[in-house]
């Protein structure tokens, strides 16, 4: 049977009704019998044998049938749910609780969702394993069914609220305030902004033009620091501004551990028209949506032909976004950042100038980084000595861990001999365990550093020839797609800067960031 070792654990001690009866009988016969002391000794021996790290010891002095009556158990489960430990050491499973099915479900979920083991002298229970499901059996099934019923009631309450015309979103839509009865009322400052957005769209302004006008007016966005085009689309398409409450357009399902949003057919939506005061008229709503749909341009689909060899490579040095491939007034291709805030501090440049500068910068990079054979050999020897030094550090740390394990065993012996109190033992034990963890973490870090050093050694031998190959073949390739793939094989990104006051066409700066350091 698999027994884990070296886990962070709680020890949980509790008397059963049978234990209390046994103690009474022993007392009547003139004998001393302390159940918790006996269990504590046995569990500490288990911890010592399997080299677990004791984080805390929870001792329940009351014998309550239900979990609600056992405050120590509640506190322990709260910490278990927070992921404080990897396991709980207990005499047997029923010590955690013999209450009703709800208690069993609560305990089961706490251990399952936190991926915490139940460790007893006779077995180890992993609540995520198939055997654990069978062990908890009907108790866990009923607990899950009750959770479904709770969720069903919650969803039913939401549907009823939406049917009654109440706003049940996380926060009220931009342009409205919400009262204590969940009814919406126009916001005195934001409602005119919403009306302005619809009017601008109805006049034929695109989303970017609307954003620019709002920025010039100094109007703060609903979230973040800048207005986004997606926010404009969301507002214009939202029927809440007609005075309607529409709920249930989407539903969420879990698939492979991920939360996925799915669209719900319109006939299944819950609608309550004229639920609150509208901000705009129906005519204005339709005009704005018609104008917006007329200006919509389908984004580049997968499989479409790429025209920009620098796509996804050249980034704005101010905001970090990729530069957009656009045409100047003279119909010459250029790259520029379309972020409105960046347009006020820097401008774009002709595409062919940036492309030539990138390739020339790569050529200069190769020239500057090329090493003589003797210098390269000396560099390699230096890197190998670093690896050897790190390997020696690992060996030293491994010896320290062995010594710390011996110190931890001594702490157990001092507790058994009652030289240490339980409080002193826990302090000493946790201090030693922390040192062991730190040493193990340092070993892992050193191993990663060694792997990185070895990778860089290999990289130094290959990266310069790869860059030189790109420089030699780039201008011979006609396909923008092939050029893009070729550049991305050696480049992580290229930061572009061209300040407003720089007037010469070729007056800009590039910062080359290769995929691996040279």
């Amino acid at each position: 049977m698999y027994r884990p070792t070296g886990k962070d654990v709680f020890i949980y001690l509790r008397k059963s009704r049978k234990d209390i009866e046994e103690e009474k009988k022993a007392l009547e016969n003139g004998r001393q019998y302390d159940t918790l002391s006996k269990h504590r000794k046995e569990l500490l021996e288990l911890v010592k044998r399997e080299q677990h790290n004791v984080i805390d010891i929870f001792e329940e002095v009351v014998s309550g049938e239900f979990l609600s009556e056992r405050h120590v158990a509640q506190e322990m489960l709260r910490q278990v749910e927070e992921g404080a430990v990897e396991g709980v050491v207990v005499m047997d499973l029923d010590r955690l609780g013999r209450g009703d099915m709800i208690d069993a479900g609560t305990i089961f979920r706490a251990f399952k969702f936190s991926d915490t083991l139940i460790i007893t002298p006779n077995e180890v229970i992993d609540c995520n394993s198939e055997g654990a499901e069978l062990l908890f059996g009907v108790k866990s099934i009923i607990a899950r069914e009750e959770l479904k019923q709770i969720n069903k009631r919650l969803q039913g309450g939401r549907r009823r609220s939406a049917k009654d015309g109440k706003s049940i979103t996380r926060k009220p839509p931009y342009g409205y305030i919400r009262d204590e009865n969940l009814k919406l009322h126009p916001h005195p400052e934001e409602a005119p902004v919403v009306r302005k957005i619809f009017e601008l769209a109805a006049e034929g302004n695109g989303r970017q033009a609307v954003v620019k006008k709002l920025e010039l007016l100094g109007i703060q966005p609903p979230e973040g620091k800048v207005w986004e085009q997606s926010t404009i689309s969301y507002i214009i398409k939202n029927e809440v501004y007609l005075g309607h409450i529409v709920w249930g357009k989407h539903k969420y399902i879990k698939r492979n551990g991920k939360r996925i949003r799915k669209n719900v057919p319109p006939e299944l939506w819950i609608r309550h028209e004229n639920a609150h005061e509208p901000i705009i008229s129906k005519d204005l709503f339709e005009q704005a949506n018609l104008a917006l749909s007329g200006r919509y341009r389908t984004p580049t689909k997968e499989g479409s032909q790429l025209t920009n060899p620098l796509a996804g490579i050249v980034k704005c040095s101010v905001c970090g976004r990729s530069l957009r491939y656009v045409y100047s007034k003279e119909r010459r291709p250029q790259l520029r950042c379309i972020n409105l805030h960046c347009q006020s501090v820097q401008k774009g440049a002709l595409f062919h100038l940036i492309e030539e500068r990138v390739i020339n910068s790569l050529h200069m990079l190769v020239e500057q980084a090329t090493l003589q054979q003797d210098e390269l050999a000396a560099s390699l020897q230096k890197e190998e000595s670093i690896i050897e030094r790190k390997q020696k550090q690992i060996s030293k740390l491994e010896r320290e861990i062995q010594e710390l394990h011996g110190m931890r065993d001594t702490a157990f012996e001092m507790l058994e001999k009652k030289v240490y109190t339980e409080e002193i033992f826990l302090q000493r034990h946790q201090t030693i365990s922390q040192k062991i963890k730190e040493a193990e973490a340092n070993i892992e870090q050193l191993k990663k550093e060694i792997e990185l050093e070895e990778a860089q050694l290999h990289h130094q031998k290959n990266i310069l020839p790869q860059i030189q190959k790109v420089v030699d073949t780039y201008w011979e390739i006609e396909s923008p797609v092939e050029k893009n793939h070729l550049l991305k094989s050696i480049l992580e990104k290229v930061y572009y800067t061209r300040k407003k006051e720089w007037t010469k066409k070729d007056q800009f700066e590039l910062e080359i960031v290769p995929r691996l350091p040279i």
Side-chain angles (χ1 to χ4, degrees):
M1 179 181 67
Y2 166 71
R3 301 285 306 187
T5 59
K7 300 291 185 182
D8 290 342
V9 298
F10 288 149
I11 292 179
Y12 180 68
L13 300 165
R14 183 176 77 91
K15 294 180 183 179
S16 65
R17 295 184 184 274
K18 184 179 178 181
D19 294 330
I20 295 174
E21 292 173 1
E22 290 291 335
E23 288 181 354
K24 287 181 179 179
K25 288 181 182 179
L27 192 59
E28 290 172 358
N29 296 327
R31 294 185 295 107
Q32 289 292 330
Y33 182 79
D34 188 346
T35 303
L36 294 185
S37 295
K38 178 176 178 294
H39 289 175
R40 181 185 286 103
K41 182 178 180 181
E42 187 171 343
L43 294 181
L44 283 172
E45 287 175 354
L46 183 151
V47 167
K48 177 182 177 182
R49 185 168 61 251
E50 297 181 352
Q51 297 184 347
H52 297 308
N53 308 320
V54 181
I55 303 302
D56 206 348
I57 298 176
F58 292 86
E59 182 176 319
E60 197 85 64
V61 294
V62 298
S63 179
E65 180 178 355
F66 296 103
L67 188 59
S68 59
E69 301 169 340
R70 295 187 283 118
H71 301 296
V72 174
Q74 292 175 31
E75 174 59 23
M76 184 192 71
L77 288 175
R78 184 188 67 79
Q79 295 189 35
V80 166
E81 287 177 335
E82 293 175 352
V85 291
E86 299 168 282
V88 172
V89 179
V90 64
M91 283 303 297
D92 47 59
L93 182 61
D94 61 14
R95 300 285 164 169
L96 292 173
R98 279 184 172 178
D100 56 16
M101 295 175 179
I102 296 176
D103 279 1
T106 300
I107 294 168
F108 179 79
R109 288 194 299 272
F111 282 88
K112 178 181 175 67
F113 297 148
S114 63
D115 201 19
T116 304
L117 300 174
I118 300 172
I119 303 171
T120 76
N122 298 319
E123 60 183 344
V124 177
I125 302 169
D126 182 353
C127 290
N128 286 293
S129 69
E130 185 178 352
E133 291 279 353
L134 184 61
L135 181 64
F136 282 87
V138 177
K139 295 180 180 180
S140 59
I141 294 174
I142 291 179
R144 284 197 298 272
E145 287 300 318
E146 181 166 345
L147 181 61
K148 289 179 182 178
Q149 292 300 320
I150 292 172
N151 285 332
K152 189 174 181 180
R153 289 195 294 271
L154 286 172
Q155 291 301 322
R158 286 188 161 195
R159 282 193 291 271
R160 286 190 295 273
S161 295
K163 286 180 180 178
D164 292 340
K166 297 178 179 179
S167 171
I168 54 175
T169 53
R170 179 174 58 90
K171 63 179 185 178
Y174 181 77
Y176 281 104
I177 55 176
R178 185 162 55 197
D179 63 22
E180 58 185 9
N181 296 317
L182 302 182
K183 288 289 185 178
L184 295 177
H185 305 278
H187 192 289
E189 296 177 359
E190 295 177 358
V193 177
V194 171
R195 197 174 295 110
K196 183 70 174 178
I197 290 172
F198 276 92
E199 291 171 352
L200 289 170
E203 292 169 1
N205 291 285
R207 295 178 302 168
Q208 186 175 350
V210 173
V211 166
K212 197 165 186 178
K213 290 180 184 295
L214 294 175
E215 295 281 358
L216 290 174
L217 292 172
I219 298 172
Q220 293 296 317
E223 292 182 347
K225 297 181 179 180
V226 297
W227 282 90
E228 298 287 349
Q229 295 182 31
S230 58
T231 305
I232 304 301
S233 297
Y234 177 79
I235 289 175
I236 293 174
K237 294 177 182 178
N238 198 338
E239 292 183 67
V240 74
Y241 301 111
L242 288 172
H244 308 332
I245 291 291
V246 183
W247 185 83
K249 288 185 176 183
H250 312 286
K251 67 177 182 180
Y252 294 88
I253 61 172
K254 274 193 173 182
R255 182 176 297 166
N256 298 327
K258 294 182 178 179
R259 197 164 179 256
I260 300 173
R261 191 177 83 164
K262 299 193 74 174
N263 294 329
V264 175
E267 59 269 19
L268 297 180
W269 297 353
I270 294 174
R271 300 181 62 90
H272 186 113
E273 297 190 354
N274 302 317
H276 51 266
E277 182 182 342
I279 292 178
I280 55 151
S281 66
K282 185 177 181 180
D283 288 342
L284 182 57
F285 182 85
E286 291 176 350
Q287 290 173 16
N289 275 271
L290 182 63
L292 183 68
S293 61
R295 295 183 61 88
Y296 179 75
R297 293 176 292 177
T298 305
T300 304
K301 296 181 179 178
E302 186 176 354
S304 298
Q305 187 173 4
L306 184 72
T307 57
N308 175 17
L310 302 179
I313 297 174
V314 183
K315 310 281 185 179
C316 173
S317 62
V318 178
C319 69
R321 296 183 183 181
S322 295
L323 298 190
R324 183 72 64 87
Y325 185 83
V326 296
Y327 287 91
S328 64
K329 293 180 180 179
E330 298 82 15
R331 302 300 299 166
R332 301 176 68 184
Q334 64 174 208
L335 293 181
R336 65 181 177 89
C337 182
I338 62 169
N339 188 334
L340 293 176
H341 286 273
C342 296
Q343 291 178 16
S344 63
V345 294
Q346 72 169 347
K347 52 190 177 181
L350 293 175
F351 170 77
H352 77 277
L353 295 177
I354 298 177
E355 184 182 33
E356 291 172 1
R357 183 77 62 84
V358 168
I359 302 304
N360 290 338
S361 297
L362 289 174
H363 179 68
M364 292 175 62
L365 197 64
V366 174
E367 287 187 343
Q368 293 171 0
T370 300
L371 301 174
Q372 298 296 330
Q373 291 298 322
D374 53 345
E375 293 177 335
L376 180 60
S379 174
L380 293 177
Q381 289 177 3
K382 180 182 178 182
E383 295 299 332
E384 288 171 354
S385 66
I386 291 175
I387 292 174
E388 289 174 356
R389 186 165 64 251
K390 292 183 185 297
Q391 288 172 338
K392 289 178 181 179
Q393 290 175 334
I394 290 175
S395 299
K396 182 181 178 182
L397 287 170
E398 287 174 343
R399 290 193 297 270
E400 289 180 4
I401 289 174
Q402 289 180 349
E403 294 175 0
L404 289 168
H405 278 301
M407 294 168 65
R408 190 162 61 177
D409 290 342
T410 302
F412 279 104
E413 294 174 4
M414 300 295 277
L415 178 65
E416 291 171 2
K417 295 177 181 179
K418 297 185 178 180
V419 176
Y420 283 171
T421 63
E422 188 174 290
E423 183 180 358
I424 294 175
F425 164 75
L426 283 176
Q427 291 176 351
R428 181 66 174 155
H429 181 82
Q430 290 172 9
T431 300
I432 296 171
S433 297
Q434 183 62 32
K435 289 181 178 180
I436 291 174
K437 284 185 178 181
E438 290 173 359
E440 290 173 343
N442 288 335
I443 288 175
E444 288 302 313
Q445 180 62 31
L446 286 168
K447 287 181 178 179
K448 290 179 181 179
E449 291 175 2
I450 288 174
E451 290 179 3
L452 181 61
E453 295 286 350
E454 291 174 342
Q456 287 182 343
L457 284 175
H458 177 75
H459 169 69
Q460 286 181 347
K461 296 177 182 178
N462 294 278
I463 186 61
L464 293 180
Q466 287 179 7
I467 296 177
Q468 186 63 56
K469 182 180 178 182
V470 171
V471 172
D472 293 340
T473 60
Y474 183 83
W475 297 115
E476 299 174 1
I477 299 172
E478 295 183 1
S479 168
V481 176
E482 291 183 18
K483 285 183 174 181
N484 186 258
H485 290 168
L486 190 65
L487 289 173
K488 284 183 176 179
S489 69
I490 61 168
L491 289 177
E492 184 71 32
K493 63 190 75 170
V494 175
Y495 285 115
Y496 166 88
T497 303
R498 189 186 182 196
K499 299 179 180 179
K500 277 287 187 180
E501 58 267 24
W502 294 354
T503 56
K504 294 182 180 179
K505 291 183 178 180
D506 61 348
Q507 194 174 6
F508 57 85
E509 295 178 353
L510 298 180
E511 180 187 349
I512 305 293
V513 183
R515 286 202 168 273
L516 285 172
I518 296 177

